[in-house]
Amino acid sequence: MAKKKSAQDILMWGLMALLIAGLGGFGIDGFLSQRVTAIGTVGGRDIDAQAYSRALQTEMRAFGEQIGQTVSFEQARAFGIDAAVRRQMVTQAALENEADRIGISVGDENVQRTLTSIRAFQGPTGSFDMETYRFQLENIGQTPAQFEADVRRDAARGILQAATAAGIETPDNLRSALVGFYGTRHSFDLFTLTEANLDAPVAAPDEAAIQAYYEANIEEFTAPETRAITYAWLTPEMLRETVEVDDTTLRALYDERIETYVQPERRLVERLIYPDEAAAQAAMDRITEGSASFDDLVSERNLTLEDADLGDVSEAQLGAAGAPVFALDDPGSVTGPHATNLGPALFRMNAILNAQEVTFDEAREELHAELAGDRARRAIADQQEGFDDLLAGGATLEDLANETPMVLGTIDWSVESAEGIAAYTEFGEAAQVITEDDFPELLRLSDGGVFALRLDSITAPAPRPVDEVRAAATAGARAVAVERALLALAQGLSVELAQQGAQDFAEAQELTPETFEAITRLDTLPQVPQAMLEDLFAADSDGPVVHVSDERALLALAGEPQAADLEDEQTQRLVAAIDEQIGSALAQDVYEYFARALESEAGISLNQAAIDAVHVNFN
C-alpha cells in the first residue's frame, strides 16, 4: 500500500512540474514567485506592464479609427505598433529616471489642479467629484494612488522635456534662405497666343498623324477591365407604384406639416437690443435725424449683423413688435424701441416675404411618393430575411428572381459604368472586388433596396479599335499640330520680346499683355500653369519664358525680382510658420537625441517573457 502511495506522489509531482513548465512557456514566470508587473527597466525605473498594455490598446484603437476597421494584434504587430509603443515607454522611463536622479518633482497642489481640470472626473455639478474619480479609475484598472503617481511622473517628465527644447530657435541663415525662396517678389508681362495668331489655320491631320497620335496615347484609348455580372435587385422605386396609401393617411401627414405648406406673410428682420428704454430711444433718435445708421449702431455695440439677424419671422413671432414691424413698407426701414423679453430693441425690416399656401391637392403627389417610398422600404426590409435564407439554401440569382419580387439583370460593368444599378456606389464597390469563386450574398443599397450579384467573366483591358475612337484621335492629333505651330511662333517671338521689351513688343504685335507684380511662391495664379511660374521665378531679369498647353502658347518676360517685403502681412505669416515648424522640428530632434543619450547612459533591459505575457491578452 505504501509503495502504491509513493508511486502516486511521484506521478503527482511529475504532473506539477510539467504544469509549471507549461505555464512558464506562456510567459507567466511569476507562478511560484512574485507576479510580473514590468516588461523591463531603464536604469532604476520599471516599465509598468499594465501601462504598456493600456498604451498598446490606445494606439491600436486610434489606428483602427484611422483606417476605419478594428485592428487585430497580428495586424498591429505587422505595422510595428507594438514596437513603437515599447520605444515610447522606454523613452518615458528614461526621462522619469533622469527626473528622479536630478530631483525634479511637482507638488500636491499641481497634481490637484490637474485632477480637478479633467472633465471625466467631474460630477453633475461640473466640479470635481471623488466618487466619479474613483469609478472612472476602476474602469481602467487603476487606483487613485497609481493614477496620481502617473500624473506626478508625467508632469516631471514634461518639465524635463520642455527644458531640453527651451531656447531652440530657427537659425537665421535657414530662415533667411526660406523667406528668400518663398517671399521674393517677381513681376512679369504675359502674352497669350492662340491659333488665331498663326499665319494660317492648321490643316486637318492626315491618316498617318492620326495613327501616330493613337499609338502614342494608347492608354487614352484603352477600354477598362469589363466584368460580366448577373444580378438580382429590388428597390423601393420598383415597389412604390404597387403600394396603396389612402387619402386619410395623406391628409393626416399634410395636417402634421401644415406649417410647411401654409406659411403666413413673413419679414426678414434684424433686432438690436438695449439695456434700457432711454438708450434705445437715443439710438432711434440718431437714426431718425440721420447721424447714424442701423449698421453703425450694431458696430458700436461690438456686434455683427449676424448677431442681430432674426431670419424670416411671422408677425406673431415678434410679439409686441409684430404690428409695427409689419406696418413697414420699405426694406431697410427701422422701428422702435419696442419691448421684448430681453429688453427694449430696435428692429430693421429688410424684406417682405408674401404668404404661401400649398393646398392638399397640390401636395398630394409629393406626400404619396414619400409615404409609398417609406412603406416600400419597410416591405423590402421585412422580406430581406427570406431572401437571405434562399441564398443560404443554394438558390441561384435566377431562382431568387423567379420566387421573389427581385428583378434579374445583367451588366458589362467597368469603372466607367454609371447607369441603372451601376449608379449605386454600393454596387460599384461590390462589383470591383467580387471573384468568380464568390457565392452571391444579399447587400443593401443606399435607398433601402437590396441586391445580390455573381461574376460570370472578366474581359481584360484592351485598346479600342482606331475606327471606334477616330473622332477623339483626330482631335488629339490636330491639337498636337496646333501646339507645335504655336511653340514655333512663340519661340520666334520670344527673341523680339527680349530685345524690344514688353511695351514696344505689344505695340508691334498688336497684343495686350497681362501684367503681374509682386508675385511670390505663396501666391496662386489659376491662369498661369505652375510649371511656367517656376520657370519665371528661376528666369533672369528681362528673360523670356514660353509655355505651351491646351492649344495656347503663353509668352512672358520676367522683370527684376525684389527681396521679400518683411512688413507684408503674408511674409510675416511665412516667417511665423517657418519659426514654428522648423523650431519645433529642431526641438524635437534635440529631445530625441537627449532621450537616446539618457537611455544609453541608464541602460535598457527588456523582459521578453513579460512582453509576451502582455501580448497573450490581445490574441
Side-chain angles (χ1 to χ4, degrees), residues 227-298:
R227 293 173 159 235
I229 292 175
T230 300
Y231 62 90
W233 68 324
L234 184 63
T235 68
E237 182 66 27
M238 295 177 183
L239 296 180
R240 197 172 68 178
E241 296 303 321
T242 66
V243 175
E244 295 184 2
V245 182
D246 58 80
D247 272 5
T248 301
T249 305
L250 293 175
R251 171 65 73 172
L253 182 59
Y254 176 81
D255 291 341
E256 182 182 326
R257 298 180 179 174
I258 193 66
E259 292 184 359
T260 301
Y261 293 114
V262 180
Q263 295 184 345
E265 185 176 305
R266 290 160 296 147
R267 299 286 190 272
L268 291 180
V269 176
E270 292 165 333
R271 178 184 65 186
L272 186 58
I273 300 171
Y274 281 87
D276 53 57
E277 185 75 22
Q281 186 60 56
M284 186 64 201
D285 292 343
R286 293 174 62 195
I287 290 179
T288 302
E289 66 188 23
S291 62
S293 66
F294 189 85
D295 290 355
D296 295 334
L297 297 178
V298 170

Side-chain angles (χ1 to χ4, degrees), residues 431-471:
Q432 199 160 14
V433 299
I434 191 173
T435 70
E436 294 184 65
D437 295 329
D438 291 336
F439 291 100
E441 62 176 312
L442 202 66
L443 301 170
R444 294 191 64 82
L445 294 170
S446 57
D447 62 357
V450 293
F451 72 100
L453 72 167
R454 179 184 68 229
L455 178 61
D456 299 322
S457 63
I458 297 177
T459 301
R464 295 183 173 97
V466 66
D467 288 338
E468 185 179 320
V469 296
R470 180 170 296 278

Side-chain angles (χ1 to χ4, degrees), residues 180-466:
F181 182 77
Y182 288 104
T184 295
R185 294 167 292 166
H186 301 265
S187 60
F188 56 90
D189 294 290
L190 181 69
F191 298 86
T192 301
L193 306 174
T194 66
E195 187 177 359
N197 298 108
L198 297 174
D199 293 337
V202 174
D206 57 22
E207 188 62 30
I210 295 172
Q211 185 67 33
Y213 183 84
Y214 170 80
E215 292 175 358
N217 299 273
I218 195 64
E219 291 184 1
E220 178 184 340
F221 304 112
T222 296
E225 176 185 89
T226 302
R227 293 173 159 235
I229 292 175
T230 300
Y231 62 90
W233 68 324
L234 184 63
T235 68
E237 182 66 27
M238 295 177 183
L239 296 180
R240 197 172 68 178
E241 296 303 321
T242 66
V243 175
E244 295 184 2
V245 182
D246 58 80
D247 272 5
T248 301
T249 305
L250 293 175
R251 171 65 73 172
L253 182 59
Y254 176 81
D255 291 341
E256 182 182 326
R257 298 180 179 174
I258 193 66
E259 292 184 359
T260 301
Y261 293 114
V262 180
Q263 295 184 345
E265 185 176 305
R266 290 160 296 147
R267 299 286 190 272
L268 291 180
V269 176
E270 292 165 333
R271 178 184 65 186
L272 186 58
I273 300 171
Y274 281 87
D276 53 57
E277 185 75 22
Q281 186 60 56
M284 186 64 201
D285 292 343
R286 293 174 62 195
I287 290 179
T288 302
E289 66 188 23
S291 62
S293 66
F294 189 85
D295 290 355
D296 295 334
L297 297 178
V298 170
S299 298
E300 289 174 6
R301 302 293 306 282
N302 293 320
L303 299 172
T304 66
L305 291 178
E306 286 77 13
D307 297 324
D309 187 25
L310 294 179
D312 59 293
V313 293
S314 66
E315 182 174 348
Q317 288 175 305
L318 290 174
V325 169
F326 272 66
L328 298 174
D329 295 324
D330 298 324
S333 300
V334 180
T335 180
H338 302 293
T340 74
N341 57 355
L342 298 176
L346 306 185
F347 292 82
R348 178 165 68 177
M349 189 274 290
N350 293 314
I352 298 173
L353 304 178
N354 295 326
Q356 296 180 358
E357 180 176 357
V358 178
T359 66
F360 173 70
D361 288 336
E362 292 171 336
R364 181 195 299 273
E365 183 177 349
E366 175 187 335
L367 294 169
H368 184 279
E370 180 180 341
L371 285 177
D374 287 341
R375 293 186 178 183
R377 280 188 286 273
R378 287 198 297 271
I380 292 173
D382 291 342
Q383 299 177 77
Q384 184 172 339
E385 185 175 351
F387 300 156
D388 276 323
D389 290 342
L390 285 172
L391 289 173
T396 64
L397 296 180
E398 289 77 7
D399 296 333
L400 202 62
N402 289 331
E403 300 176 26
T404 74
M406 295 188 74
V407 177
L408 192 70
T410 60
I411 184 174
D412 289 330
W413 181 89
S414 74
V415 292
E416 297 175 351
S417 301
E419 300 294 329
I421 194 171
Y424 289 89
T425 301
E426 298 84 359
F427 181 84
E429 292 173 349
Q432 199 160 14
V433 299
I434 191 173
T435 70
E436 294 184 65
D437 295 329
D438 291 336
F439 291 100
E441 62 176 312
L442 202 66
L443 301 170
R444 294 191 64 82
L445 294 170
S446 57
D447 62 357
V450 293
F451 72 100
L453 72 167
R454 179 184 68 229
L455 178 61
D456 299 322
S457 63
I458 297 177
T459 301
R464 295 183 173 97
V466 66

